Amino acid sequence: MEFREVLARRQSVRSYNGTPVTDSEITALLKAANASPIGRGLYQNVHLSVVRSKPLLKQVAAIAGEAFGDPAMDPFYGASTLILASCVEAAATTVGLANSACMVENMHLAATNLGLASVYLYGFIHTIAKNDEIVRALGVPKGFVPVAALAVGHTDKTLAERPLVTDKIQTSFVD
Ligand SMILES: Cc1cc2nc3c(=O)[nH]c(=O)nc-3n(C[C@H](O)[C@H](O)[C@H](O)COP(=O)(O)O)c2cc1C
């Protein structure tokens, strides 16, 4: 796909079918994440977990559902795979959060390029962040905290191109 088309097709998808993401697709997403800009090049301060365990995703969804007061809620919208970005605790509200956003967005665009559906996730993180047992079960190393995630999978929806515009974000020109 041309870069322009990737940008125009990227969108948040909130409906997934059960088709799994292949290992080679996961590798492509991880390459995209590893190509992200990371503050001061401190790659050791960020971490990714590829979570494909259905029971674990269900368990996390149940915790989030309870926290949001909606037990039927699925923060992953049925996506088969969650890629969780974590960072060192000390940077969780600063550069680590920014680094994780870069990694997730790179993967979001790479997923679009592969014809996969995906969505940036943040809301559910707070419902599990203090649950050490779940956080460790999600493959997050000690001393790291989860700060962002990408749900990725396949959808039955058509992911049409959207117009690329300049008026969604207010912009000042300073000449
Ligand atoms: C930092 C951040 C947090 C987000 N958190 C969530 C989330 O928890 N759940 C969700 O469904 N979408 C989430 N989104 C997706 C946004 O709602 C979405 O990008 C926005 O509505 C624009 O739609 P678009 O991505 O289709 O262009 C998040 C996006 C960003 C950048």
Side-chain angles (χ1 to χ4, degrees):
M1 237 184 249
E2 256 182 55
F3 185 58
R4 185 209 58 79
E5 187 181 347
V6 174
L7 291 179
R9 286 197 190 277
R10 185 219 60 82
Q11 57 198 268
S12 299
V13 178
R14 299 188 177 89
S15 166
Y16 293 84
N17 61 35
T19 309
V21 179
T22 66
D23 286 348
S24 67
E25 287 167 335
I26 295 289
T27 300
L29 299 181
L30 295 178
K31 282 183 181 172
N34 278 261
S36 306
I38 296 293
R40 293 168 62 207
L42 295 173
Y43 299 96
Q44 66 272 30
N45 286 356
V46 290
H47 183 270
L48 293 167
S49 305
V50 180
V51 184
R52 293 181 282 196
S53 159
K54 276 186 193 161
L56 185 55
L57 290 176
K58 251 185 144 174
Q59 199 182 348
V60 176
I63 293 168
E66 199 175 307
F68 284 114
D70 177 6
M73 173 204 175
D74 175 5
F76 316 125
Y77 309 104
S80 59
T81 304
L82 180 77
I83 305 182
L84 188 64
S86 310
C87 68
V88 288
E89 267 179 68
T93 59
T94 56
V95 71
L97 183 61
N99 288 335
S100 298
C102 290
M103 296 193 293
V104 172
E105 172 64 354
N106 261 23
M107 292 191 288
H108 197 16
L109 291 171
T112 305
N113 188 46
L114 291 168
L116 294 168
S118 55
V119 60
Y120 192 126
L121 297 177
Y122 182 71
F124 84 95
I125 301 269
H126 302 286
T127 69
I128 56 146
K130 290 202 168 76
N131 187 329
D132 203 55
E133 197 183 322
I134 286 289
V135 168
R136 299 287 92 86
L138 287 164
V140 177
K142 258 207 156 341
F144 284 65
V145 286
V147 282
L150 188 78
V152 59
H154 291 267
T155 187
D156 295 329
K157 293 199 163 174
T158 306
L159 303 182
E161 280 193 40
R162 303 186 299 188
L164 295 174
V165 298
T166 58
D167 60 358
K168 285 205 280 191
I169 299 172
Q170 281 190 36
T171 307
S172 303
F173 289 89
V174 183
D175 295 320

